[in-house]
Amino acid sequence: RTLGLATSDLALLAPAQIASAIQQRTSQLGYHLVIAMAGSGGAQQAVSDLLSQRVDALLINVPLEAQAAQQIERMAASLPCLFLDVAEDADVATCTFSAHTGARQGAEHLLQLGHRHIALLNGPADSVAARARRAVWIEVLQEHQLAPCNQLEGDWSAQSGYQAVMQLAGQEMPSALLVANDQMALGAMQALHQMGVAVPAEMSVVGYDDTADSAWYQPPLTTVRQDMRQLGECSVQWLTRQLEQPGSEAGLPPFATSLVVRASTA
Ligand code: IPT
């Protein structure tokens, strides 16, 4: 039997690590895996490619609004589907990370260190996860009568993080930066280095993901850990159970994240 995975760009580290865990668990359980990457045709095109390859069940790790997810479920007809990156209000089976715990952990860490001038480097606005992280950051700052002193946006890549932070040149600098993923934090730190802003002495930086390389940044990155392996493995476990004992089991409760404190915050 064959599982299909429709995924975001595998050039990004988080989806690549999730796909790697999915591939390993799938073969351990004696299933095959077919992967389709959502390109310009979006998730729908990727899913219809998988359906034409006669997969028996679908994992969808592409950012989707509730409506788009429900539409994909209809395309899949009777095949079990599990969504890994979808709006919270979607009426579909999900296996996701909680942005509530994650974004809160990063923001509260900076507040506990005494930071009051905090800028946000958000992910792309068409990603539900990016919007959820931003909303929670703003909520936590509001609880402390604060607002972000600047909001930048990137597309998840290191290059976009670099370009966004370069826009701060010549402006009043925040004392800390909340970044929506580790790859953008990598670019942000390169920009700060070029501007002569020391991390963490003059600027603290918090990432998000804790992908495998983040301990090797200079300085090692403080970040919010999403356990990509756990997400990948549990989602395969759930989907294969659906195939073996069909039933209308609900999805999984959102996975908690954890704060990993390294050297980029002070
Ligand atoms: C999310 C990552 O946190 C982010 O870094 C980026 O890679 C994005 O995926 C790509 O869509 S993780 C996702 C399961 C919300």
Side-chain angles (χ1 to χ4, degrees):
R1 302 242 255 179
T2 305
L3 306 187
L5 168 64
T7 177
S8 309
D9 190 356
L10 290 175
L12 292 172
L13 287 178
Q17 291 184 4
I18 293 167
S20 162
I22 287 174
Q23 170 75 77
Q24 280 176 11
R25 179 50 53 98
T26 304
S27 31
Q28 275 168 9
L29 295 175
Y31 285 79
H32 296 288
L33 182 69
V34 184
I35 298 180
M37 219 164 80
S40 51
Q44 292 223 6
Q45 183 61 53
V47 167
S48 75
D49 288 353
L50 293 170
L51 293 174
S52 67
Q53 295 179 71
R54 306 199 155 278
V55 298
D56 298 294
L58 286 168
L59 293 162
I60 298 109
N61 183 24
V62 182
L64 289 173
E65 310 297 328
Q67 278 220 333
Q70 281 149 17
Q71 207 170 330
I72 283 177
E73 224 181 29
R74 284 193 295 273
M75 281 171 67
S78 60
L79 302 187
C81 295
L82 187 61
F83 292 84
L84 278 51
D85 188 358
V86 66
E88 247 176 50
D89 58 339
D91 186 19
V92 294
T94 63
C95 179
T96 56
F97 294 113
S98 166
H100 292 280
T101 61
R104 179 165 288 277
Q105 283 159 342
E108 284 182 346
H109 172 61
L110 290 177
L111 292 165
Q112 274 159 18
L113 290 169
H115 291 282
R116 292 296 175 266
H117 294 97
I118 299 174
L120 309 183
L121 173 42
N122 298 307
D126 60 4
S127 154
V128 283
R131 294 203 309 273
R133 290 169 199 177
R134 171 175 180 267
V136 174
W137 283 336
I138 290 176
E139 183 184 306
V140 174
L141 292 179
Q142 257 165 13
E143 288 166 11
H144 292 76
Q145 285 77 50
L146 296 171
C149 54
N150 218 317
Q151 291 200 55
L152 306 167
E153 187 180 314
D155 66 4
W156 298 127
S157 70
Q159 182 183 357
S160 72
Y162 172 84
Q163 286 166 342
V165 170
M166 274 306 197
Q167 294 168 22
L168 293 177
Q171 295 185 35
E172 205 193 320
M173 282 284 167
S175 74
L177 190 59
L178 280 166
V179 187
N181 79 339
D182 290 358
Q183 288 185 272
M184 292 195 295
L186 177 63
M189 278 161 52
Q190 173 64 16
L192 293 170
H193 177 72
Q194 284 182 19
M195 291 189 279
V197 178
V199 176
E202 294 166 276
M203 176 101 68
S204 286
V205 177
V206 179
Y208 206 110
D209 278 343
D210 196 29
T211 35
D213 297 341
S214 307
W216 304 96
Y217 285 22
Q218 177 53 33
L221 188 66
T222 294
T223 189
V224 174
R225 179 170 173 72
Q226 303 195 112
D227 191 334
M228 312 297 171
R229 180 150 296 281
Q230 181 191 34
L231 185 82
E233 291 179 350
C234 291
S235 60
V236 172
Q237 213 84 40
W238 185 92
L239 203 58
T240 53
R241 216 174 34 238
Q242 286 293 299
L243 283 173
E244 283 152 21
Q245 310 168 352
S248 59
E249 219 180 320
L252 298 149
F255 289 122
T257 54
S258 53
L259 180 73
V260 180
V261 179
R262 298 199 181 95
S264 65
T265 47

